Amino acid sequence: DDDASSAAAYLLTSPGHAGSALFRRLDPYVFPMDGVKLTDMMDASKISTRIITVAATKLSHVKETVERCLVPNVVAAKLDLPRRGECTRIISADGGTDVIILPSTFLPDCVCVGYTFVISELSGSTGRGTTARLVWDSLTSEFDDQAPVELGSLEWETLRIEGGWPAYGREMTGDVDP
């Protein structure tokens, strides 16, 4: 899209690490004439943003899980997942939910492959519960023996270290940048 007003870039940080601190660090480097505005999506009071990453050792397993658990809660039709280097954006018919699908787990491919879903919605926008909650409940259903397991920030940190990726505030600081 050539319209600069509709262009957007997202910076996702690792779970539990430096979201607001990194936002504050970047803010002084943005100049008004650049036409760039930083928004800390986690601080927005009217918009709820949740990030769900579905990962596995094989991409086919992730695609099956997405088709079974995510598609019924986000889109009515078949979902074409984006290829590497692309993203897909889905806006609900009522405009209350915005889903961005990224073909990345933000971990090295030698550790896992998959997709990350950034789900932003107006607080209280749906009468049947939030889209993110519906997706999460579907993904982690105890009645589905094929459902993925939940990983917290400690497990994510372990996978990051095993994959050899440095993290801001850990291996990368203002003084050290490997």
Side-chain angles (χ1 to χ4, degrees):
D1 192 11
D2 292 333
D3 183 8
S5 65
S6 67
Y10 292 88
L11 175 64
L12 302 178
T13 59
S14 57
H17 296 284
S20 295
L22 185 57
F23 176 81
R24 286 190 302 274
R25 186 176 174 123
L26 290 173
D27 194 43
Y29 297 105
V30 176
F31 299 101
M33 297 306 290
D34 290 341
V36 174
K37 178 185 174 196
L38 294 180
T39 303
D40 188 348
M41 298 296 285
M42 301 314 278
D43 284 343
S45 61
K46 293 182 181 179
I47 298 175
S48 171
T49 301
R50 299 291 179 255
I51 301 167
I52 298 173
T53 298
V54 180
T57 54
K58 293 184 177 178
L59 199 54
S60 61
H61 295 162
V62 175
K63 289 180 178 181
E64 290 169 12
T65 299
V66 168
E67 288 290 329
R68 188 178 70 251
C69 300
L70 188 106
V71 171
N73 292 302
V74 177
V75 295
K78 185 174 178 354
L79 176 66
D80 290 324
L81 293 169
R83 295 184 303 235
R84 185 177 297 273
E86 298 176 355
C87 74
T88 299
R89 184 174 185 194
I90 303 165
I91 300 174
S92 65
D94 66 359
T97 304
D98 186 2
V99 179
I100 298 171
I101 305 170
L102 308 165
S104 175
T105 62
F106 299 97
L107 289 167
D109 287 348
C110 65
V111 174
C112 60
V113 293
Y115 292 89
T116 295
F117 302 86
V118 180
I119 304 171
S120 299
E121 53 197 326
L122 298 173
S123 296
S125 64
T126 63
R128 57 189 183 109
T130 67
T131 302
R133 174 54 56 196
L134 291 170
V135 169
W136 183 254
D137 289 348
S138 179
L139 284 170
T140 59
S141 170
E142 64 185 64
F143 303 109
D144 184 356
D145 63 347
Q146 297 296 314
V149 295
E150 178 182 358
L151 296 181
S153 58
L154 181 61
E155 293 88 355
W156 190 93
E157 186 78 1
T158 301
L159 290 172
R160 179 193 68 77
I161 292 168
E162 287 176 357
W165 275 27
Y168 178 78
R170 303 277 195 244
E171 296 81 16
M172 293 187 305
T173 64
D175 301 328
V176 179
D177 187 0

